[in-house]
Amino acid sequence: MMALRHLWKLTWLELKIFAREPLGLIGTLLAPPLTVVVLGRIFGRIPTTSPRLTTFVAVDLPVFAAIFTTLNAVQSLVTIVSIYREGGILKRLRATPLRPQTILSAQVLVKLILTATTLVLIVLAGRNVIRVRLDVHLLSFSVALLFSTLSILSIGFLIASLVPTARFAQPVGSFVIYPMLFLSGLFVPVDALPNGVQIIARVIPLTYAVSLLKGIWLGDAWLAHAGDVAALVAVAILFTGLSARFFRWE
Amino acid sequence: MSSVISVAGIRKAYGSTIAIDDVSFDVVEGEIFGLIGPNGAGKTTTMECVEGLRTPDRGAISVFGLDPVRDVYALQQRVGVQLQEAQLQKRITVWEAVDLWASLYPKSADGRRLLEQLGLADKRDAWFMTLSGGQKQRLFIALALINNPDVVFLDELTTGLDPHARRAIWDLVRGIKDRGKTVFMTTHLMEEAERLCDRVAIIDRGRIVDIDTPPALVARHCPERTVLLTTVDAGAESRFRAIRTVDAVTRADARYTIRGRGDDLVTEVIRCLSDHRIHVTDFRTETPHLEDVFLKITGHSIRD
Ligand SMILES: Nc1ncnc2c1ncn2[C@@H]1O[C@H](COP(=O)(O)OP(=O)(O)OP(=O)(O)O)[C@@H](O)[C@H]1O
Ligand SMILES: [Mg+2]
């Protein structure tokens, strides 16, 4: 009970602090919906005779925005944790009755709340742009996105545990995240990749997130994606365990 | 007087660097106890072991009979901590920090009053990043006092502050003691230790070299006293040499430097002056300070 109250207090405070940084706010909350609006405007206006364009606007664009939101959450988690460590803020908080897991969970919760908010904004922005109707179950899709984000965030924690300083966090995060992105099946279907690259793609956690999000967006049943879910759970367990082992508070 | 903190033979190494070794001392209830030593001497390591933030490789620590590592959560209720070089979130406000800290303890002091007493009332809504060095330290004192602790840990509280802000902080630390709390502090400023601490432990290269009240340390290690005076009395020099506690007399024109040992030297010089009706136009004494004690027992200056 106590721990939950502390968690909520710290999460709320961190959200307020986050909102005071204008650049972070714009980059996190506004960039993804704006991307949807701009790209949707450009491609959506073209008469939908081309099936490729139709899939792009109807399927790839929303999933792309969702994945972008997730990766943004990972990147900013890595950055904030390393800044907090370097500034001694983590150590300062740890010297209070706050439990270590409460301090870190608050950071994860902040990212999940921001991800959910971004998703709502994307949907609101996309409603007017994406005219191709699909039978998308928004609730299902939200759950899939939050679940994927949580799983991918555990990788962020490991990166945050290993980067030496905050200055390293940004580039290291990018070096891990962008290659993952290109192999994840978001742009090129995994099956269309060369054989050797396919193997790499299959060990990349993001691949399963993309597959799950695409499938749910297209109206697949969760059961059809049990493999993706299992993979993401395994990723979460593995990386949370590794982070717990290697996490440094100072 | 019972001891609140008891440290026995602790050692801590980081890889091949032995940060502290065989460190032992007791902190008594109600005193201001100072750990003094140069940069890298092991002050922070020692203090954070006592706070339960680091685990010593060997040795035993007890704070109110609690083990700082095993009973860290029980201990946190009774101690207040200010860490060297720790920051807060850049954009957290003073009040948000105080309010968060207060919410973490079952019973807490009145945050509003605390901010008033520490002169931060008008900074309530200011972001942490906009505070001056002295204001940040005062906020950290407030956070350390928020749970009405019995012991307060202060690690290099005044480092980086200007002399004026430093004096203001000293008054606040005395105020903490006046409220009946025990203060365990570190500093590398000998003047600070001399003015604030009831007792000090001198630590150098990871080892405690001596522990006592500042006057006792001076008396033990630096008993030399010096009297500087000016007189044109022709017979003065031989009179000074005849004083029992005088070791050496040097003279440059009418200016004499009389060196001796023990607290009686000054009295005896004055008695000699009055007995022999020696007329002096200038009279000064020089007594050693902790700074000199440090130099004497470690063989190097604390500023090195
Ligand atoms: N986390 C750490 N990892 C490795 N070495 C460390 C660590 N913390 C301290 N040391 C080393 O241990 C020794 C003692 O450091 P400590 O911080 O305790 O000294 P200090 O007396 O507090 O110094 P200062 O006055 O600079 O604060 C130093 O040689 C330091 O380099
Ligand atoms: Mg230190």
Side-chain angles (χ1 to χ4, degrees):
Chain A
M1 246 349 267
M2 194 70 159
L4 268 184
R5 233 190 51 219
H6 290 171
L7 176 63
W8 178 240
K9 181 115 190 169
L10 191 57
T11 306
W12 178 237
L13 185 58
E14 290 287 345
L15 276 170
K16 279 199 285 186
I17 292 171
F18 176 83
R20 287 171 192 160
E21 201 161 2
L23 264 177
L25 200 62
I26 292 168
T28 305
L29 290 183
L30 297 183
L34 275 180
T35 314
V36 170
V37 169
V38 171
L39 290 182
R41 278 271 154 77
I42 294 171
F43 296 110
R45 286 286 152 81
I46 302 168
T48 50
T49 44
S50 153
R52 277 187 58 117
L53 261 182
T54 309
T55 13
F56 176 75
V57 175
V59 182
D60 293 341
L61 191 53
V63 173
F64 179 82
I67 290 289
F68 183 80
T69 308
T70 298
L71 294 180
N72 192 34
V74 174
Q75 180 75 274
S76 69
L77 180 78
V78 172
T79 309
I80 197 98
V81 168
S82 32
I83 288 175
Y84 277 23
R85 176 169 48 222
E86 211 164 291
I89 301 168
L90 284 182
K91 185 175 174 185
R92 191 68 202 80
L93 290 172
R94 207 165 119 98
T96 68
L98 281 170
R99 298 294 190 264
Q101 61 270 28
T102 306
I103 299 168
L104 300 182
S105 303
Q107 297 304 332
V108 172
L109 212 53
V110 166
K111 299 306 168 213
L112 284 182
I113 291 171
L114 290 174
T115 303
T117 313
T118 312
L119 180 71
V120 171
L121 292 177
I122 290 175
V123 169
L124 289 180
R127 260 213 321 232
N128 306 316
V129 182
I130 302 167
R131 282 175 298 179
V132 191
R133 290 305 310 167
L134 266 168
D135 189 17
V136 177
H137 210 298
L138 265 183
L139 187 65
S140 247
F141 186 72
S142 310
V143 171
L145 178 62
L146 290 182
F147 171 70
S148 305
T149 305
L150 193 59
S151 174
I152 305 292
L153 277 178
S154 68
I155 305 178
F157 254 112
L158 187 67
I159 302 173
S161 311
L162 300 179
V163 290
T165 65
R167 278 169 53 89
F168 271 90
Q170 201 76 21
V172 168
S174 305
F175 272 115
V176 176
I177 286 167
Y178 290 105
M180 282 210 321
L181 188 58
F182 285 109
L183 295 175
S184 65
L186 186 59
F187 303 110
V188 184
V190 174
D191 295 328
L193 292 169
N195 263 343
V197 184
Q198 264 192 41
I199 297 173
I200 303 177
R202 299 228 180 269
V203 297
I204 291 176
L206 202 58
T207 308
Y208 300 96
V210 169
S211 160
L212 178 69
L213 287 170
K214 261 191 180 170
I216 298 292
W217 183 260
L218 286 172
D220 286 357
W222 277 81
L223 212 55
H225 290 275
D228 295 333
V229 172
L232 290 172
V233 168
V235 164
I237 292 172
L238 176 70
F239 282 90
T240 306
L242 285 174
S243 314
R245 171 87 179 66
F246 292 111
F247 195 78
R248 290 175 296 117
W249 291 88
E250 49 176 306
Chain B
M1 280 280 166
S2 58
S3 73
V4 172
I5 298 171
S6 160
V7 175
I10 61 166
R11 172 197 169 104
K12 175 86 188 170
Y14 302 103
S16 61
T17 319
I18 297 168
I20 52 170
D21 197 8
D22 199 24
V23 167
S24 304
F25 59 88
D26 277 38
V27 178
V28 172
E29 192 179 341
E31 73 175 341
I32 302 183
F33 184 86
L35 194 56
I36 63 177
N39 291 130
K43 302 182 295 294
T44 298
T45 303
T46 305
M47 182 172 265
E48 292 191 354
C49 283
V50 177
E51 290 162 353
L53 295 173
R54 302 187 196 198
T55 315
D57 304 330
R58 85 165 73 114
I61 304 174
S62 144
V63 185
F64 308 113
L66 299 168
D67 177 331
V69 175
R70 210 187 45 224
D71 311 319
V72 62
Y73 293 118
L75 187 63
Q76 278 171 351
Q77 302 300 330
R78 299 188 62 184
V79 303
V81 173
Q82 174 262 328
L83 302 168
Q84 183 182 10
E85 280 167 8
Q87 302 280 314
L88 290 176
Q89 294 91 324
K90 278 187 185 171
R91 291 178 170 80
I92 194 172
T93 70
V94 167
W95 180 252
E96 282 167 346
V98 169
D99 180 51
L100 173 68
W101 254 250
S103 76
L104 300 178
Y105 299 90
K107 54 179 174 53
S108 62
D110 182 351
R112 224 172 300 260
R113 263 195 54 201
L114 217 45
L115 288 185
E116 258 162 40
Q117 288 162 352
L118 293 169
L120 283 175
D122 56 334
K123 287 285 164 187
R124 233 185 95 96
D125 298 315
W127 288 352
F128 179 75
M129 62 192 268
T130 66
L131 300 179
S132 72
Q135 288 164 345
K136 283 180 182 164
Q137 292 304 49
R138 277 184 273 153
L139 173 57
F140 284 124
I141 296 181
L143 298 182
L145 293 176
I146 196 78
N147 58 332
N148 259 324
D150 300 316
V151 179
V152 182
F153 294 92
L154 306 172
D155 194 358
E156 304 247 356
L157 191 58
T158 64
T159 302
L161 300 187
D162 60 59
H164 181 74
R166 184 169 287 157
R167 264 157 228 280
I169 298 279
W170 289 348
D171 286 337
L172 294 175
V173 176
R174 287 191 197 101
I176 298 174
K177 178 190 155 141
D178 292 342
R179 289 187 225 175
K181 301 183 193 306
T182 308
V183 178
F184 178 16
M185 58 177 278
T186 74
T187 180
H188 61 260
L189 301 170
M190 293 294 165
E191 189 197 353
E192 179 165 294
E194 212 149 32
R195 286 176 182 242
L196 272 183
C197 298
D198 298 309
R199 288 193 312 133
V200 298
I202 298 176
I203 185 168
D204 186 40
R205 299 191 179 108
R207 288 174 175 274
I208 303 266
V209 273
D210 205 355
I211 305 178
D212 217 325
T213 62
L217 284 171
V218 171
R220 177 149 70 242
H221 297 283
C222 299
E224 309 81 27
R225 299 287 181 278
T226 305
V227 175
L228 301 138
L229 56 80
T230 306
T231 178
V232 290
D233 193 308
E237 187 164 350
S238 58
R239 302 278 188 208
F240 295 148
R241 286 190 195 283
I243 300 173
R244 192 173 46 84
T245 47
V246 166
D247 292 332
V249 179
T250 53
R251 182 185 154 189
D253 298 330
R255 290 204 304 272
Y256 291 81
T257 305
I258 305 164
R259 291 177 212 282
R261 52 190 59 245
D263 288 334
D264 290 341
L265 176 78
V266 179
T267 319
E268 292 192 14
V269 170
I270 292 172
R271 182 174 301 141
C272 168
L273 294 177
S274 104
D275 285 355
H276 300 98
R277 295 174 193 283
I278 299 170
H279 182 78
V280 294
T281 52
D282 186 27
F283 187 95
R284 275 186 306 133
T285 62
E286 272 177 9
T287 39
H289 292 275
L290 272 184
E291 188 106 37
D292 306 285
V293 172
F294 190 87
L295 181 65
K296 185 81 163 268
I297 57 184
T298 66
H300 60 92
S301 161
I302 193 157
R303 297 176 207 281
D304 290 347

